[in-house]
Amino acid sequence: MSTSKNKMGVVQLTILTAVNMMGSGIIMLPTKLAEVGTISIVSWLVTAVGSMALAYAFAKCGMFSRKAGGMGGYAEYAFGKSGNFMANYTYGVSLLIANVAIAISAVGYGTELMGVNLSPFAICLATIAVLWICTVANFGGAKITGQISGVTVWGVIIPVVGLSIIGWYWFSPHLYAASWNPHHTPTFSAIGSSIAMTLWAFLGLESACANTDVVENPERNVPIAVLGGTLGAAVIYIISTNVIAGIVPNMDLANSTAPFGLAFAQMFNPTVGKVIMALMVMSCCGSLLGWQFTIAQVFKSSADTGYFPKVFSKVTKADAPVKGMLVIVVIQTVLSLMTISPSLNKQFNVLVDLAVVTNIIPYILSMAALVIIQKVAKVEPGKARIANLIAFVGALYSFYALYSSGDEAMMYGAIVTFIGWTLYGFISPKFELSNAA
């Protein structure tokens, strides 16, 4: 075992992994799952198994890959430069869309907190305002962003973990059973309809493998921590969303824009509910702050390699890619206007399904690349076979999640992906001609 005092142990990394995953992905989930019913617990179990398979395979990719660039680097092993580009491009698009959904979550809790009822256009304007504020706040550089996000994430973790522990006191088995399948949807359809939504809560699991260099005995500890962290997050997700379904009546939950605030108001009093809403708004804005910076960095690293336009490479004295951030937030503004819906929940659902579809593309590319990554790293055949089998399970789950996202999300996701191939055509000469030479 390493004697370095600066390296993380397996417990620390497990906690870090779980905390990284538990950003703002969960705070609107009870509303969406209430539309399906408590039968969605089956979707949670399917997603937990699929996410753990993905997380384990990503841990292996991270340990054996010698190429930079995360999922793009993994994909390059099997699919060359075009695979690297497609992984980075679809991942970047997914983050762009996901951040608009996070901003909508903040607006949903904010409107409930203020007691105001906004029109769809006003919700859109408020979402755009949140995106711009969180972008401008990043101009100071990574250090300030990291410090703020490190504090605000507890605004979601404390209420969600708290509800998982103390919520049972108010839990009604009768209310839970009555909400099982309120719309009498066929079982397979009901389970499938909430798969994309449950996977949304786990997006970011690929980033959990980024700490290989600062961990004691990484070959053993990284997979344990990633699986443990994913399992820990899954347990908290499953318990909290199912406890709520036994506290708040199904129709109230399905129509809420601040489900956790509603639950705490019902458990204690409206004032406690308002405090929880304020914590969730704070957490959403902190999460959005961090993710807006992350997207700018993802685009910057792709621009540095030559995949994306050079505008994303430019940084200020504070080492912040401000020009890239401004381009990104303008695209998100257009996206917000394009997805205006009759209700906040509807707009949130459209964006989440599209974010999940585009995020699954680099997942599938990475799972397929693990075979060759392990061959190049000369991993023992027995160990490699087990990891490849788990990656195959992760890929199967990814295809099921794609199928379950619905026709509309699949169609738009496919168009976005095909546009990527066209874009690669414009930049390919600088890579392909140098390879030919």
Side-chain angles (χ1 to χ4, degrees):
M1 186 175 278
S2 170
T3 54
S4 171
K5 290 178 183 174
N6 298 325
K7 295 212 168 187
M8 272 192 282
V10 69
V11 175
Q12 285 170 289
L13 186 62
T14 303
I15 293 167
L16 181 71
T17 303
V19 167
N20 279 350
M21 246 177 275
M22 285 183 58
S24 53
I26 191 174
I27 74 171
M28 286 293 288
L29 276 183
T31 293
K32 169 64 181 173
L33 298 178
E35 293 170 16
V36 179
T38 48
I39 192 172
S40 59
I41 190 170
V42 183
S43 308
W44 272 123
L45 296 173
V46 172
T47 296
V49 172
S51 297
M52 286 181 71
L54 287 166
Y56 181 85
F58 275 122
K60 292 294 184 185
C61 284
M63 279 160 48
F64 298 125
S65 170
R66 291 294 166 262
K67 293 182 191 289
M71 291 189 285
Y74 307 156
E76 190 174 329
Y77 275 89
F79 305 102
K81 292 288 185 186
S82 64
N84 191 328
F85 170 80
M86 285 307 292
N88 280 322
Y89 162 75
T90 48
Y91 185 55
V93 170
S94 171
L95 293 180
L96 273 176
I97 300 163
N99 280 14
V100 181
I102 293 172
I104 288 173
S105 301
V107 171
Y109 272 76
T111 53
E112 202 76 32
L113 179 64
M114 306 291 184
V116 291
N117 199 0
L118 299 179
S119 68
F121 186 65
I123 286 169
C124 177
L125 290 181
T127 303
I128 291 167
V130 170
L131 285 163
W132 276 90
I133 290 165
C134 288
T135 300
V136 172
N138 270 318
F139 289 178
K143 192 176 179 188
I144 297 168
T145 299
Q147 287 168 343
I148 295 171
S149 299
V151 173
T152 57
V153 72
W154 294 98
V156 72
I157 291 173
I158 291 167
V160 171
V161 174
L163 185 78
S164 303
I165 296 166
I166 63 169
W168 295 104
Y169 182 75
W170 292 269
F171 182 82
S172 161
H174 174 72
L175 187 62
Y176 184 87
S179 307
W180 181 252
N181 190 356
H183 305 295
H184 307 290
T185 313
T187 302
F188 191 73
S189 301
I191 295 165
S193 64
S194 47
I195 283 286
M197 205 39 83
T198 51
L199 179 57
W200 160 254
F202 285 98
L203 293 189
L205 60 87
E206 71 287 339
S207 64
C209 316
N211 301 297
T212 310
D213 297 339
V214 292
V215 184
E216 293 173 356
N217 191 3
E219 190 153 344
R220 173 184 168 273
N221 288 345
V222 170
I224 291 173
V226 168
L227 284 176
T230 306
L231 184 61
V235 168
I236 292 165
Y237 287 154
I238 293 168
I239 293 174
S240 61
T241 51
N242 281 279
V243 167
I244 280 192
I247 295 172
V248 182
N250 181 264
M251 283 308 294
D252 293 352
L253 204 52
N255 293 317
S256 173
T257 56
F260 281 95
L262 182 65
F264 275 90
Q266 201 136 325
M267 286 157 58
F268 297 103
N269 56 53
T271 307
V272 175
K274 296 276 188 195
V275 170
I276 296 300
M277 286 176 207
L279 281 172
M280 293 273 184
V281 171
M282 176 191 83
S283 175
C284 260
C285 292
S287 176
L288 188 59
L289 196 71
W291 276 113
Q292 285 292 83
F293 198 88
T294 301
I295 298 181
Q297 289 296 345
V298 167
F299 277 55
K300 181 186 177 299
S301 61
S302 292
D304 291 345
T305 321
Y307 291 129
F308 286 6
K310 283 291 169 207
V311 67
F312 293 107
S313 278
K314 296 181 170 68
V315 293
T316 60
K317 286 176 184 172
D319 209 28
V322 169
K323 285 187 178 175
M325 286 181 195
L326 289 171
V327 173
I328 287 162
V329 79
V330 167
I331 296 168
Q332 288 171 326
T333 301
V334 173
L335 196 60
S336 302
L337 290 165
M338 282 169 59
T339 55
I340 292 178
S341 300
S343 75
L344 184 141
N345 291 342
K346 172 82 174 126
Q347 187 174 6
F348 180 77
N349 293 349
V350 168
L351 288 162
V352 165
D353 285 346
L354 191 51
V356 166
V357 166
T358 46
N359 203 313
I360 285 172
I361 308 298
Y363 281 10
I364 290 169
L365 293 172
S366 300
M367 294 303 103
L370 184 59
V371 174
I372 191 163
I373 288 172
Q374 293 193 112
K375 269 197 184 329
V376 171
K378 296 184 171 54
V379 177
E380 199 181 300
K383 286 183 180 177
R385 205 172 296 119
I386 294 166
N388 291 337
L389 184 63
I390 293 171
F392 182 67
V393 171
L396 283 181
Y397 168 74
S398 299
F399 285 115
Y400 178 51
L402 279 178
Y403 168 77
S404 301
S405 297
D407 300 347
E408 191 180 18
M410 272 294 291
M411 181 185 74
Y412 287 126
I415 290 170
V416 165
T417 306
F418 296 153
I419 288 171
W421 291 119
T422 304
L423 293 175
Y424 184 72
F426 288 113
I427 63 162
S428 62
K430 69 175 79 168
F431 299 115
E432 304 303 334
L433 291 175
S434 63
N435 285 347

